[in-house]
Amino acid sequence: CIQAEHRATAIMVNIRMANVNDLIEMQQCNLWCLPENYQMKYYFYHLLSWPQLLWVAEDFDGRIVGYVLAKMEEDESKPPLHGHITSLAVLRTHRKRGIATALMRRSQVEMHQVFAAKFVSLHVRKSNRAAFHLYAETLKYEINDIERGYYADGEDAYDMRCTFGEKEGGKKKDDDVGTLTKAVEKITVA
């Protein structure tokens, strides 16, 4: 289990792999946080196909306060093998505590270790500055493209990617997956 702690309020959350009993609360979290919503069958599909990639954050009384919904790319005409973050949400009351970072890193470790993914992709609204900062600055994603009118309301999306094992300054980024794994096992946020 991974724990994220916010010192100022000493709120502890447990980061763990999602199970079928979490899906309703994950969907509820999605409805509270995001304009892009999914039918329950989509959550089931992800859980049945890629159970290692779905993670939740639960507070001290077991309530789901965040989740990451991820998958492996199914279109074999789009090599190399890579993962995709379908959805990430953290309740407003639990933001700025490192929870989204811990959820993302945990799912990325599993993509790389279990499925041998070469990179992970995601889409983010151009107007979502907080999410863009998380992806670009904290998690080191890079803009791959801009998809015009990607969202139902017509807003454009950044198509972003984070490559596993990419050379950076002569040293491999995420060279030792064990180091990344240890980093997500316990995250303390100041």
Side-chain angles (χ1 to χ4, degrees), residues 19-31 37-48 54 69:
N19 64 57
V20 70
N21 298 316
D22 299 320
L23 296 181
I24 290 174
E25 282 190 80
M26 288 171 66
Q27 185 182 44
Q28 190 65 48
C29 186
N30 171 268
L31 291 169
N37 308 126
Y38 309 103
Q39 293 183 0
M40 183 54 67
K41 66 182 178 182
Y42 198 56
Y43 292 90
F44 273 111
Y45 174 64
H46 277 70
L47 185 69
L48 292 171
L54 280 68
L69 184 69

Side-chain angles (χ1 to χ4, degrees), residues 46 50 52-55 68-73 81-86 103-122 141 162 164 177 180:
H46 277 70
W50 309 280
Q52 305 90 333
L53 304 183
L54 280 68
W55 292 80
V68 62
L69 184 69
K71 65 180 188 169
M72 294 304 296
E73 180 59 54
L81 183 62
H82 65 280
H84 183 77
I85 302 297
T86 303
L103 289 165
M104 288 288 289
R105 286 189 175 149
R106 188 70 256 173
S107 189
Q108 289 175 186
V109 165
E110 299 299 321
M111 283 177 193
H112 188 65
Q113 287 183 335
V114 176
F115 296 100
K118 301 298 181 208
F119 68 90
V120 57
S121 65
L122 58 79
Y141 279 68
C162 179
F164 304 127
V177 177
L180 181 58

Side-chain angles (χ1 to χ4, degrees), residues 56-70:
V56 294
E58 61 182 5
D59 66 7
F60 63 92
D61 60 357
R63 184 175 63 123
I64 302 299
V65 297
Y67 73 88
V68 62
L69 184 69

